Amino acid sequence: MKLEGVEIRTIRMPLVSPFRTSFGTETVREAVLVRAVGADGEGWGECGASALPLYSSEYTPAAAAVLSEVLVPALGGEDLDPHRVAGILSPFKGHRQAKAALETAILDADLRARDVPLSYHLGAVKDRVACGVSVGITPTIPALLDAVDGYLADGYVRIKLKIEHGWDLEPVRAVRERFGDILLQVDANAAYGRADIEHLAKLDAFDLSLLEQPLSADDLGGHAMLARRIGTPICLDESILSAEHAAHAIELGACCIVNIKPGRVGGYLESRRIHDLCVAHGVPVWCGGMLETGIGRAANLALAALPGFTLPGDTSASERYYETDLTPPFRLEDGHMTVPTGPGIGVTPDAAVLDEVTVSRAWIPLAGAAAGAC
Ligand code: OSB
Ligand code: MG
């Protein structure tokens, strides 16, 4: 893959409804998209970072800057194997979501040129995946019950509720009582501390499939303490930034389930390593989400089709997030979504829709590439 240059775009797309978590409320998805252009075609990647550094230290202006100023120039204009990108970028600390978007765009361009679907490249064994939905914190419990009711009517096979201090036992109890025997799990986005262990143990009354990231990202020891006290399985999200982190967390008994978000761990290739590690340890995994447009969603579906993804992911339909997606909309059929079969990520953004939501763009030519290539 000989790269001519990379386009970095920032887009802003209104969400169909506000998404509230313990760390803030999103009403618009701001994201960076990466388009890698090579002699044999182009490829796309979506950066999971959002407008403010609330989920992790990354955020869109920083992601756009590090891509333009550091990561893309580091690639040079030489022939590039997508599997070598992470190694080339590894001297630069952090910025995993930005690195993931760049690696994905290059991998997509390479796979398209060779007519290979991403799912096949990663080792997928399913052509459709079971889908869950992540339900934000609502102003009232009746509003939450309405939201869950709507998603169950859409066919989602599991519900994830966001929780925080003051919004945990009661909403969970209300959903369990109203909807009975559904697959139900909760996500705290690191809102609690070790002092809350006894309180969190009360969630055991609700037969949850898992409790996601209750404590701070750095506190693997606290998660291990909680895991010994509580019956509900602990799943980690923010704590797992690489296969190495996953190995440590499993070894410590900090989790028995892992949420794999490709951006958070630096890309789909690292995601596959985490998947393989978890399968070897008998740890189930599922595919998380960052409110992706169709670009990121397509790639997430490819990953979610690997054999170790035995739990439904946050791979929801386009209409759960956007009135108009950048790609043909991903639709739920009988609680499942079809894994794209085209080469690379299998979808391409609609140029007119993309231009409408673009707020800034930059073209980074690569050394050795023809001037003005675009
Ligand atoms: O913690 O899983 C999370 C969205 C943004 C940031 C963090 C998280 C989420 C979600 C939504 O839960 C997942 C999705 O539907 O894309
Ligand atoms: Mg989470």
Side-chain angles (χ1 to χ4, degrees), residues 19 23 26 55 134 160 162 187 189 212 237-238 259 261 289-292 314 316 320-321:
F19 184 66
F23 59 77
E26 295 212 54
Y55 166 78
S134 175
K160 163 170 134 180
K162 291 290 188 179
D187 183 3
N189 287 110
E212 181 179 348
D237 173 353
E238 285 91 330
N259 166 340
K261 281 183 191 168
M290 293 296 289
L291 314 176
E292 286 90 347
D314 283 343
S316 310
R320 179 256 174 274
Y321 310 93

mmCIF file with all atom_site columns, all heavy atoms in Angstrom, residues 19 23 26 55 134 160 162 187 189 212 237-238 259 261 289-292 314 316 320-321, ligand 1:
data_model
loop_
_atom_site.group_PDB
_atom_site.id
_atom_site.type_symbol
_atom_site.label_atom_id
_atom_site.label_alt_id
_atom_site.label_comp_id
_atom_site.label_asym_id
_atom_site.label_entity_id
_atom_site.label_seq_id
_atom_site.pdbx_PDB_ins_code
_atom_site.Cartn_x
_atom_site.Cartn_y
_atom_site.Cartn_z
_atom_site.occupancy
_atom_site.B_iso_or_equiv
_atom_site.pdbx_formal_charge
_atom_site.auth_seq_id
_atom_site.auth_comp_id
_atom_site.auth_asym_id
_atom_site.auth_atom_id
_atom_site.pdbx_PDB_model_num
ATOM   1   N N   . PHE A 1 19  ? -27.789 11.789 24.762 1.00 0.00 ? 19  PHE A N   1
ATOM   2   C CA  . PHE A 1 19  ? -27.258 10.575 25.381 1.00 0.00 ? 19  PHE A CA  1
ATOM   3   C C   . PHE A 1 19  ? -26.516 10.983 26.635 1.00 0.00 ? 19  PHE A C   1
ATOM   4   O O   . PHE A 1 19  ? -25.456 11.606 26.579 1.00 0.00 ? 19  PHE A O   1
ATOM   5   C CB  . PHE A 1 19  ? -26.327 9.856  24.396 1.00 0.00 ? 19  PHE A CB  1
ATOM   6   C CG  . PHE A 1 19  ? -25.816 8.542  24.909 1.00 0.00 ? 19  PHE A CG  1
ATOM   7   C CD1 . PHE A 1 19  ? -26.693 7.483  25.125 1.00 0.00 ? 19  PHE A CD1 1
ATOM   8   C CD2 . PHE A 1 19  ? -24.472 8.360  25.174 1.00 0.00 ? 19  PHE A CD2 1
ATOM   9   C CE1 . PHE A 1 19  ? -26.227 6.257  25.604 1.00 0.00 ? 19  PHE A CE1 1
ATOM   10  C CE2 . PHE A 1 19  ? -24.002 7.137  25.647 1.00 0.00 ? 19  PHE A CE2 1
ATOM   11  C CZ  . PHE A 1 19  ? -24.878 6.094  25.860 1.00 0.00 ? 19  PHE A CZ  1
ATOM   12  N N   . PHE A 1 23  ? -20.642 10.842 32.911 1.00 0.00 ? 23  PHE A N   1
ATOM   13  C CA  . PHE A 1 23  ? -19.625 11.871 32.650 1.00 0.00 ? 23  PHE A CA  1
ATOM   14  C C   . PHE A 1 23  ? -20.118 13.036 31.795 1.00 0.00 ? 23  PHE A C   1
ATOM   15  O O   . PHE A 1 23  ? -19.358 13.956 31.507 1.00 0.00 ? 23  PHE A O   1
ATOM   16  C CB  . PHE A 1 23  ? -18.345 11.257 32.047 1.00 0.00 ? 23  PHE A CB  1
ATOM   17  C CG  . PHE A 1 23  ? -18.529 10.515 30.749 1.00 0.00 ? 23  PHE A CG  1
ATOM   18  C CD1 . PHE A 1 23  ? -18.678 11.196 29.555 1.00 0.00 ? 23  PHE A CD1 1
ATOM   19  C CD2 . PHE A 1 23  ? -18.534 9.123  30.726 1.00 0.00 ? 23  PHE A CD2 1
ATOM   20  C CE1 . PHE A 1 23  ? -18.830 10.521 28.354 1.00 0.00 ? 23  PHE A CE1 1
ATOM   21  C CE2 . PHE A 1 23  ? -18.687 8.429  29.527 1.00 0.00 ? 23  PHE A CE2 1
ATOM   22  C CZ  . PHE A 1 23  ? -18.839 9.135  28.345 1.00 0.00 ? 23  PHE A CZ  1
ATOM   23  N N   . GLU A 1 26  ? -24.339 14.041 25.636 1.00 0.00 ? 26  GLU A N   1
ATOM   24  C CA  . GLU A 1 26  ? -24.016 14.359 24.242 1.00 0.00 ? 26  GLU A CA  1
ATOM   25  C C   . GLU A 1 26  ? -25.304 14.565 23.464 1.00 0.00 ? 26  GLU A C   1
ATOM   26  O O   . GLU A 1 26  ? -26.229 13.748 23.553 1.00 0.00 ? 26  GLU A O   1
ATOM   27  C CB  . GLU A 1 26  ? -23.220 13.227 23.599 1.00 0.00 ? 26  GLU A CB  1
ATOM   28  C CG  . GLU A 1 26  ? -21.863 13.050 24.231 1.00 0.00 ? 26  GLU A CG  1
ATOM   29  C CD  . GLU A 1 26  ? -20.811 12.559 23.253 1.00 0.00 ? 26  GLU A CD  1
ATOM   30  O OE1 . GLU A 1 26  ? -20.636 13.210 22.199 1.00 0.00 ? 26  GLU A OE1 1
ATOM   31  O OE2 . GLU A 1 26  ? -20.177 11.544 23.549 1.00 0.00 ? 26  GLU A OE2 1
ATOM   32  N N   . TYR A 1 55  ? -14.739 10.925 28.349 1.00 0.00 ? 55  TYR A N   1
ATOM   33  C CA  . TYR A 1 55  ? -14.665 9.453  28.418 1.00 0.00 ? 55  TYR A CA  1
ATOM   34  C C   . TYR A 1 55  ? -13.206 9.035  28.587 1.00 0.00 ? 55  TYR A C   1
ATOM   35  O O   . TYR A 1 55  ? -12.878 8.163  29.384 1.00 0.00 ? 55  TYR A O   1
ATOM   36  C CB  . TYR A 1 55  ? -15.271 8.850  27.144 1.00 0.00 ? 55  TYR A CB  1
ATOM   37  C CG  . TYR A 1 55  ? -14.953 7.390  26.948 1.00 0.00 ? 55  TYR A CG  1
ATOM   38  C CD1 . TYR A 1 55  ? -15.639 6.404  27.663 1.00 0.00 ? 55  TYR A CD1 1
ATOM   39  C CD2 . TYR A 1 55  ? -13.951 6.987  26.066 1.00 0.00 ? 55  TYR A CD2 1
ATOM   40  C CE1 . TYR A 1 55  ? -15.337 5.055  27.491 1.00 0.00 ? 55  TYR A CE1 1
ATOM   41  C CE2 . TYR A 1 55  ? -13.647 5.648  25.889 1.00 0.00 ? 55  TYR A CE2 1
ATOM   42  C CZ  . TYR A 1 55  ? -14.338 4.696  26.600 1.00 0.00 ? 55  TYR A CZ  1
ATOM   43  O OH  . TYR A 1 55  ? -14.038 3.354  26.430 1.00 0.00 ? 55  TYR A OH  1
ATOM   44  N N   . SER A 1 134 ? -27.502 0.657  24.287 1.00 0.00 ? 134 SER A N   1
ATOM   45  C CA  . SER A 1 134 ? -27.070 1.345  25.494 1.00 0.00 ? 134 SER A CA  1
ATOM   46  C C   . SER A 1 134 ? -28.035 2.507  25.745 1.00 0.00 ? 134 SER A C   1
ATOM   47  O O   . SER A 1 134 ? -28.173 3.392  24.901 1.00 0.00 ? 134 SER A O   1
ATOM   48  C CB  . SER A 1 134 ? -25.642 1.860  25.274 1.00 0.00 ? 134 SER A CB  1
ATOM   49  O OG  . SER A 1 134 ? -25.214 2.618  26.366 1.00 0.00 ? 134 SER A OG  1
ATOM   50  N N   . LYS A 1 160 ? -28.725 -2.228 27.971 1.00 0.00 ? 160 LYS A N   1
ATOM   51  C CA  . LYS A 1 160 ? -27.695 -1.753 28.914 1.00 0.00 ? 160 LYS A CA  1
ATOM   52  C C   . LYS A 1 160 ? -28.151 -0.408 29.452 1.00 0.00 ? 160 LYS A C   1
ATOM   53  O O   . LYS A 1 160 ? -28.469 0.492  28.672 1.00 0.00 ? 160 LYS A O   1
ATOM   54  C CB  . LYS A 1 160 ? -26.355 -1.639 28.180 1.00 0.00 ? 160 LYS A CB  1
ATOM   55  C CG  . LYS A 1 160 ? -25.290 -0.807 28.876 1.00 0.00 ? 160 LYS A CG  1
ATOM   56  C CD  . LYS A 1 160 ? -23.939 -0.970 28.186 1.00 0.00 ? 160 LYS A CD  1
ATOM   57  C CE  . LYS A 1 160 ? -23.244 0.357  27.968 1.00 0.00 ? 160 LYS A CE  1
ATOM   58  N NZ  . LYS A 1 160 ? -21.933 0.209  27.299 1.00 0.00 ? 160 LYS A NZ  1
ATOM   59  N N   . LYS A 1 162 ? -27.254 2.966  31.673 1.00 0.00 ? 162 LYS A N   1
ATOM   60  C CA  . LYS A 1 162 ? -26.198 3.763  32.273 1.00 0.00 ? 162 LYS A CA  1
ATOM   61  C C   . LYS A 1 162 ? -26.600 4.046  33.712 1.00 0.00 ? 162 LYS A C   1
ATOM   62  O O   . LYS A 1 162 ? -27.775 4.375  33.984 1.00 0.00 ? 162 LYS A O   1
ATOM   63  C CB  . LYS A 1 162 ? -26.043 5.083  31.514 1.00 0.00 ? 162 LYS A CB  1
ATOM   64  C CG  . LYS A 1 162 ? -25.481 4.902  30.112 1.00 0.00 ? 162 LYS A CG  1
ATOM   65  C CD  . LYS A 1 162 ? -24.022 4.489  30.166 1.00 0.00 ? 162 LYS A CD  1
ATOM   66  C CE  . LYS A 1 162 ? -23.391 4.494  28.782 1.00 0.00 ? 162 LYS A CE  1
ATOM   67  N NZ  . LYS A 1 162 ? -21.967 4.106  28.832 1.00 0.00 ? 162 LYS A NZ  1
ATOM   68  N N   . ASP A 1 187 ? -23.842 0.022  33.108 1.00 0.00 ? 187 ASP A N   1
ATOM   69  C CA  . ASP A 1 187 ? -22.526 0.619  32.832 1.00 0.00 ? 187 ASP A CA  1
ATOM   70  C C   . ASP A 1 187 ? -22.394 1.901  33.651 1.00 0.00 ? 187 ASP A C   1
ATOM   71  O O   . ASP A 1 187 ? -23.198 2.827  33.500 1.00 0.00 ? 187 ASP A O   1
ATOM   72  C CB  . ASP A 1 187 ? -22.416 0.942  31.330 1.00 0.00 ? 187 ASP A CB  1
ATOM   73  C CG  . ASP A 1 187 ? -21.045 1.494  30.939 1.00 0.00 ? 187 ASP A CG  1
ATOM   74  O OD1 . ASP A 1 187 ? -20.158 1.575  31.799 1.00 0.00 ? 187 ASP A OD1 1
ATOM   75  O OD2 . ASP A 1 187 ? -20.874 1.836  29.747 1.00 0.00 ? 187 ASP A OD2 1
ATOM   76  N N   . ASN A 1 189 ? -19.457 3.778  33.824 1.00 0.00 ? 189 ASN A N   1
ATOM   77  C CA  . ASN A 1 189 ? -18.420 4.683  33.321 1.00 0.00 ? 189 ASN A CA  1
ATOM   78  C C   . ASN A 1 189 ? -17.553 5.250  34.446 1.00 0.00 ? 189 ASN A C   1
ATOM   79  O O   . ASN A 1 189 ? -17.329 6.459  34.532 1.00 0.00 ? 189 ASN A O   1
ATOM   80  C CB  . ASN A 1 189 ? -19.028 5.812  32.482 1.00 0.00 ? 189 ASN A CB  1
ATOM   81  C CG  . ASN A 1 189 ? -19.516 5.325  31.137 1.00 0.00 ? 189 ASN A CG  1
ATOM   82  O OD1 . ASN A 1 189 ? -20.731 5.281  30.899 1.00 0.00 ? 189 ASN A OD1 1
ATOM   83  N ND2 . ASN A 1 189 ? -18.627 4.928  30.270 1.00 0.00 ? 189 ASN A ND2 1
ATOM   84  N N   . GLU A 1 212 ? -20.576 -3.016 34.163 1.00 0.00 ? 212 GLU A N   1
ATOM   85  C CA  . GLU A 1 212 ? -19.461 -2.504 33.353 1.00 0.00 ? 212 GLU A CA  1
ATOM   86  C C   . GLU A 1 212 ? -18.782 -1.323 34.031 1.00 0.00 ? 212 GLU A C   1
ATOM   87  O O   . GLU A 1 212 ? -19.451 -0.363 34.427 1.00 0.00 ? 212 GLU A O   1
ATOM   88  C CB  . GLU A 1 212 ? -20.025 -2.102 31.977 1.00 0.00 ? 212 GLU A CB  1
ATOM   89  C CG  . GLU A 1 212 ? -19.006 -1.558 30.990 1.00 0.00 ? 212 GLU A CG  1
ATOM   90  C CD  . GLU A 1 212 ? -19.652 -1.209 29.629 1.00 0.00 ? 212 GLU A CD  1
ATOM   91  O OE1 . GLU A 1 212 ? -20.821 -1.610 29.394 1.00 0.00 ? 212 GLU A OE1 1
ATOM   92  O OE2 . GLU A 1 212 ? -19.006 -0.539 28.815 1.00 0.00 ? 212 GLU A OE2 1
ATOM   93  N N   . ASP A 1 237 ? -14.299 -1.713 30.618 1.00 0.00 ? 237 ASP A N   1
ATOM   94  C CA  . ASP A 1 237 ? -14.293 -0.917 29.388 1.00 0.00 ? 237 ASP A CA  1
ATOM   95  C C   . ASP A 1 237 ? -13.069 0.007  29.475 1.00 0.00 ? 237 ASP A C   1
ATOM   96  O O   . ASP A 1 237 ? -11.981 -0.328 28.996 1.00 0.00 ? 237 ASP A O   1
ATOM   97  C CB  . ASP A 1 237 ? -15.637 -0.151 29.293 1.00 0.00 ? 237 ASP A CB  1
ATOM   98  C CG  . ASP A 1 237 ? -15.721 0.851  28.147 1.00 0.00 ? 237 ASP A CG  1
ATOM   99  O OD1 . ASP A 1 237 ? -14.718 1.096  27.471 1.00 0.00 ? 237 ASP A OD1 1
ATOM   100 O OD2 . ASP A 1 237 ? -16.814 1.426  27.916 1.00 0.00 ? 237 ASP A OD2 1
ATOM   101 N N   . GLU A 1 238 ? -13.211 1.162  30.162 1.00 0.00 ? 238 GLU A N   1
ATOM   102 C CA  . GLU A 1 238 ? -12.163 2.187  30.204 1.00 0.00 ? 238 GLU A CA  1
ATOM   103 C C   . GLU A 1 238 ? -10.800 1.658  30.680 1.00 0.00 ? 238 GLU A C   1
ATOM   104 O O   . GLU A 1 238 ? -9.763  2.228  30.315 1.00 0.00 ? 238 GLU A O   1
ATOM   105 C CB  . GLU A 1 238 ? -12.591 3.350  31.115 1.00 0.00 ? 238 GLU A CB  1
ATOM   106 C CG  . GLU A 1 238 ? -13.638 4.297  30.521 1.00 0.00 ? 238 GLU A CG  1
ATOM   107 C CD  . GLU A 1 238 ? -15.079 3.891  30.830 1.00 0.00 ? 238 GLU A CD  1
ATOM   108 O OE1 . GLU A 1 238 ? -15.346 2.674  30.974 1.00 0.00 ? 238 GLU A OE1 1
ATOM   109 O OE2 . GLU A 1 238 ? -15.946 4.786  30.916 1.00 0.00 ? 238 GLU A OE2 1
ATOM   110 N N   . ASN A 1 259 ? -15.307 -5.642 27.456 1.00 0.00 ? 259 ASN A N   1
ATOM   111 C CA  . ASN A 1 259 ? -15.904 -4.834 26.387 1.00 0.00 ? 259 ASN A CA  1
ATOM   112 C C   . ASN A 1 259 ? -14.742 -4.404 25.485 1.00 0.00 ? 259 ASN A C   1
ATOM   113 O O   . ASN A 1 259 ? -13.834 -3.710 25.939 1.00 0.00 ? 259 ASN A O   1
ATOM   114 C CB  . ASN A 1 259 ? -16.607 -3.615 27.029 1.00 0.00 ? 259 ASN A CB  1
ATOM   115 C CG  . ASN A 1 259 ? -16.967 -2.516 26.028 1.00 0.00 ? 259 ASN A CG  1
ATOM   116 O OD1 . ASN A 1 259 ? -16.417 -2.433 24.936 1.00 0.00 ? 259 ASN A OD1 1
ATOM   117 N ND2 . ASN A 1 259 ? -17.872 -1.637 26.417 1.00 0.00 ? 259 ASN A ND2 1
ATOM   118 N N   . LYS A 1 261 ? -13.582 -2.140 22.577 1.00 0.00 ? 261 LYS A N   1
ATOM   119 C CA  . LYS A 1 261 ? -13.853 -1.002 21.686 1.00 0.00 ? 261 LYS A CA  1
ATOM   120 C C   . LYS A 1 261 ? -12.575 -0.788 20.890 1.00 0.00 ? 261 LYS A C   1
ATOM   121 O O   . LYS A 1 261 ? -11.535 -0.448 21.462 1.00 0.00 ? 261 LYS A O   1
ATOM   122 C CB  . LYS A 1 261 ? -14.128 0.269  22.494 1.00 0.00 ? 261 LYS A CB  1
ATOM   123 C CG  . LYS A 1 261 ? -15.522 0.365  23.057 1.00 0.00 ? 261 LYS A CG  1
ATOM   124 C CD  . LYS A 1 261 ? -15.705 1.687  23.773 1.00 0.00 ? 261 LYS A CD  1
ATOM   125 C CE  . LYS A 1 261 ? -16.995 1.657  24.562 1.00 0.00 ? 261 LYS A CE  1
ATOM   126 N NZ  . LYS A 1 261 ? -17.093 2.782  25.490 1.00 0.00 ? 261 LYS A NZ  1
ATOM   127 N N   . GLY A 1 289 ? -19.299 0.461  21.784 1.00 0.00 ? 289 GLY A N   1
ATOM   128 C CA  . GLY A 1 289 ? -19.494 1.469  20.751 1.00 0.00 ? 289 GLY A CA  1
ATOM   129 C C   . GLY A 1 289 ? -19.177 2.847  21.280 1.00 0.00 ? 289 GLY A C   1
ATOM   130 O O   . GLY A 1 289 ? -19.074 3.069  22.496 1.00 0.00 ? 289 GLY A O   1
ATOM   131 N N   . MET A 1 290 ? -18.983 3.793  20.369 1.00 0.00 ? 290 MET A N   1
ATOM   132 C CA  . MET A 1 290 ? -18.751 5.204  20.697 1.00 0.00 ? 290 MET A CA  1
ATOM   133 C C   . MET A 1 290 ? -19.682 6.055  19.836 1.00 0.00 ? 290 MET A C   1
ATOM   134 O O   . MET A 1 290 ? -19.273 7.075  19.294 1.00 0.00 ? 290 MET A O   1
ATOM   135 C CB  . MET A 1 290 ? -17.287 5.568  20.442 1.00 0.00 ? 290 MET A CB  1
ATOM   136 C CG  . MET A 1 290 ? -16.298 4.869  21.379 1.00 0.00 ? 290 MET A CG  1
ATOM   137 S SD  . MET A 1 290 ? -16.495 5.315  23.114 1.00 0.00 ? 290 MET A SD  1
ATOM   138 C CE  . MET A 1 290 ? -15.891 6.983  23.091 1.00 0.00 ? 290 MET A CE  1
ATOM   139 N N   . LEU A 1 291 ? -20.949 5.601  19.702 1.00 0.00 ? 291 LEU A N   1
ATOM   140 C CA  . LEU A 1 291 ? -21.953 6.333  18.928 1.00 0.00 ? 291 LEU A CA  1
ATOM   141 C C   . LEU A 1 291 ? -21.477 6.531  17.479 1.00 0.00 ? 291 LEU A C   1
ATOM   142 O O   . LEU A 1 291 ? -21.726 7.573  16.869 1.00 0.00 ? 291 LEU A O   1
ATOM   143 C CB  . LEU A 1 291 ? -22.254 7.704  19.567 1.00 0.00 ? 291 LEU A CB  1
ATOM   144 C CG  . LEU A 1 291 ? -22.472 7.748  21.084 1.00 0.00 ? 291 LEU A CG  1
ATOM   145 C CD1 . LEU A 1 291 ? -22.656 9.197  21.552 1.00 0.00 ? 291 LEU A CD1 1
ATOM   146 C CD2 . LEU A 1 291 ? -23.679 6.917  21.504 1.00 0.00 ? 291 LEU A CD2 1
ATOM   147 N N   . GLU A 1 292 ? -20.827 5.526  16.940 1.00 0.00 ? 292 GLU A N   1
ATOM   148 C CA  . GLU A 1 292 ? -20.223 5.649  15.603 1.00 0.00 ? 292 GLU A CA  1
ATOM   149 C C   . GLU A 1 292 ? -21.250 5.909  14.507 1.00 0.00 ? 292 GLU A C   1
ATOM   150 O O   . GLU A 1 292 ? -22.394 5.468  14.572 1.00 0.00 ? 292 GLU A O   1
ATOM   151 C CB  . GLU A 1 292 ? -19.476 4.357  15.247 1.00 0.00 ? 292 GLU A CB  1
ATOM   152 C CG  . GLU A 1 292 ? -18.154 4.149  15.966 1.00 0.00 ? 292 GLU A CG  1
ATOM   153 C CD  . GLU A 1 292 ? -18.296 3.401  17.278 1.00 0.00 ? 292 GLU A CD  1
ATOM   154 O OE1 . GLU A 1 292 ? -19.438 3.244  17.772 1.00 0.00 ? 292 GLU A OE1 1
ATOM   155 O OE2 . GLU A 1 292 ? -17.264 2.978  17.820 1.00 0.00 ? 292 GLU A OE2 1
ATOM   156 N N   . ASP A 1 314 ? -22.874 -3.293 21.773 1.00 0.00 ? 314 ASP A N   1
ATOM   157 C CA  . ASP A 1 314 ? -23.524 -1.986 21.599 1.00 0.00 ? 314 ASP A CA  1
ATOM   158 C C   . ASP A 1 314 ? -23.464 -1.622 20.115 1.00 0.00 ? 314 ASP A C   1
ATOM   159 O O   . ASP A 1 314 ? -23.117 -0.494 19.740 1.00 0.00 ? 314 ASP A O   1
ATOM   160 C CB  . ASP A 1 314 ? -22.806 -0.913 22.430 1.00 0.00 ? 314 ASP A CB  1
ATOM   161 C CG  . ASP A 1 314 ? -23.158 -0.986 23.916 1.00 0.00 ? 314 ASP A CG  1
ATOM   162 O OD1 . ASP A 1 314 ? -24.176 -1.622 24.255 1.00 0.00 ? 314 ASP A OD1 1
ATOM   163 O OD2 . ASP A 1 314 ? -22.408 -0.397 24.723 1.00 0.00 ? 314 ASP A OD2 1
ATOM   164 N N   . SER A 1 316 ? -25.714 -0.915 17.681 1.00 0.00 ? 316 SER A N   1
ATOM   165 C CA  . SER A 1 316 ? -27.136 -0.624 17.438 1.00 0.00 ? 316 SER A CA  1
ATOM   166 C C   . SER A 1 316 ? -27.327 -0.078 16.021 1.00 0.00 ? 316 SER A C   1
ATOM   167 O O   . SER A 1 316 ? -26.368 0.291  15.347 1.00 0.00 ? 316 SER A O   1
ATOM   168 C CB  . SER A 1 316 ? -27.641 0.370  18.480 1.00 0.00 ? 316 SER A CB  1
ATOM   169 O OG  . SER A 1 316 ? -27.285 -0.058 19.784 1.00 0.00 ? 316 SER A OG  1
ATOM   170 N N   . ARG A 1 320 ? -30.929 4.498  15.738 1.00 0.00 ? 320 ARG A N   1
ATOM   171 C CA  . ARG A 1 320 ? -30.871 4.719  17.180 1.00 0.00 ? 320 ARG A CA  1
ATOM   172 C C   . ARG A 1 320 ? -30.044 5.980  17.491 1.00 0.00 ? 320 ARG A C   1
ATOM   173 O O   . ARG A 1 320 ? -30.153 6.575  18.545 1.00 0.00 ? 320 ARG A O   1
ATOM   174 C CB  . ARG A 1 320 ? -30.271 3.487  17.875 1.00 0.00 ? 320 ARG A CB  1
ATOM   175 C CG  . ARG A 1 320 ? -30.132 3.585  19.394 1.00 0.00 ? 320 ARG A CG  1
ATOM   176 C CD  . ARG A 1 320 ? -28.673 3.837  19.791 1.00 0.00 ? 320 ARG A CD  1
ATOM   177 N NE  . ARG A 1 320 ? -28.509 4.066  21.218 1.00 0.00 ? 320 ARG A NE  1
ATOM   178 C CZ  . ARG A 1 320 ? -28.645 5.257  21.781 1.00 0.00 ? 320 ARG A CZ  1
ATOM   179 N NH1 . ARG A 1 320 ? -28.976 6.301  21.043 1.00 0.00 ? 320 ARG A NH1 1
ATOM   180 N NH2 . ARG A 1 320 ? -28.463 5.422  23.073 1.00 0.00 ? 320 ARG A NH2 1
ATOM   181 N N   . TYR A 1 321 ? -29.190 6.369  16.521 1.00 0.00 ? 321 TYR A N   1
ATOM   182 C CA  . TYR A 1 321 ? -28.302 7.514  16.722 1.00 0.00 ? 321 TYR A CA  1
ATOM   183 C C   . TYR A 1 321 ? -28.645 8.706  15.821 1.00 0.00 ? 321 TYR A C   1
ATOM   184 O O   . TYR A 1 321 ? -28.639 9.843  16.284 1.00 0.00 ? 321 TYR A O   1
ATOM   185 C CB  . TYR A 1 321 ? -26.846 7.122  16.414 1.00 0.00 ? 321 TYR A CB  1
ATOM   186 C CG  . TYR A 1 321 ? -26.374 5.861  17.108 1.00 0.00 ? 321 TYR A CG  1
ATOM   187 C CD1 . TYR A 1 321 ? -26.467 4.615  16.485 1.00 0.00 ? 321 TYR A CD1 1
ATOM   188 C CD2 . TYR A 1 321 ? -25.841 5.927  18.389 1.00 0.00 ? 321 TYR A CD2 1
ATOM   189 C CE1 . TYR A 1 321 ? -26.025 3.467  17.122 1.00 0.00 ? 321 TYR A CE1 1
ATOM   190 C CE2 . TYR A 1 321 ? -25.403 4.781  19.037 1.00 0.00 ? 321 TYR A CE2 1
ATOM   191 C CZ  . TYR A 1 321 ? -25.505 3.546  18.392 1.00 0.00 ? 321 TYR A CZ  1
ATOM   192 O OH  . TYR A 1 321 ? -25.079 2.423  19.036 1.00 0.00 ? 321 TYR A OH  1
HETATM 193 O O1  . OSB B 2 .   ? -19.131 3.495  28.050 1.00 0.00 ? 1   OSB B O1  1
HETATM 194 O O2  . OSB B 2 .   ? -19.822 2.235  26.534 1.00 0.00 ? 1   OSB B O2  1
HETATM 195 C C1  . OSB B 2 .   ? -19.610 3.371  26.948 1.00 0.00 ? 1   OSB B C1  1
HETATM 196 C C2  . OSB B 2 .   ? -20.907 5.899  24.405 1.00 0.00 ? 1   OSB B C2  1
HETATM 197 C C3  . OSB B 2 .   ? -19.920 6.862  24.468 1.00 0.00 ? 1   OSB B C3  1
HETATM 198 C C4  . OSB B 2 .   ? -18.889 6.695  25.353 1.00 0.00 ? 1   OSB B C4  1
HETATM 199 C C5  . OSB B 2 .   ? -18.826 5.573  26.190 1.00 0.00 ? 1   OSB B C5  1
HETATM 200 C C6  . OSB B 2 .   ? -19.801 4.593  26.108 1.00 0.00 ? 1   OSB B C6  1
HETATM 201 C C7  . OSB B 2 .   ? -20.898 4.784  25.225 1.00 0.00 ? 1   OSB B C7  1
HETATM 202 C C8  . OSB B 2 .   ? -22.011 3.875  25.147 1.00 0.00 ? 1   OSB B C8  1
HETATM 203 C C9  . OSB B 2 .   ? -22.833 3.862  23.876 1.00 0.00 ? 1   OSB B C9  1
HETATM 204 O O3  . OSB B 2 .   ? -22.386 3.164  26.057 1.00 0.00 ? 1   OSB B O3  1
HETATM 205 C C10 . OSB B 2 .   ? -22.410 2.795  22.955 1.00 0.00 ? 1   OSB B C10 1
HETATM 206 C C11 . OSB B 2 .   ? -22.995 2.961  21.572 1.00 0.00 ? 1   OSB B C11 1
HETATM 207 O O4  . OSB B 2 .   ? -24.186 2.739  21.430 1.00 0.00 ? 1   OSB B O4  1
HETATM 208 O O5  . OSB B 2 .   ? -22.233 3.290  20.648 1.00 0.00 ? 1   OSB B O5  1
#
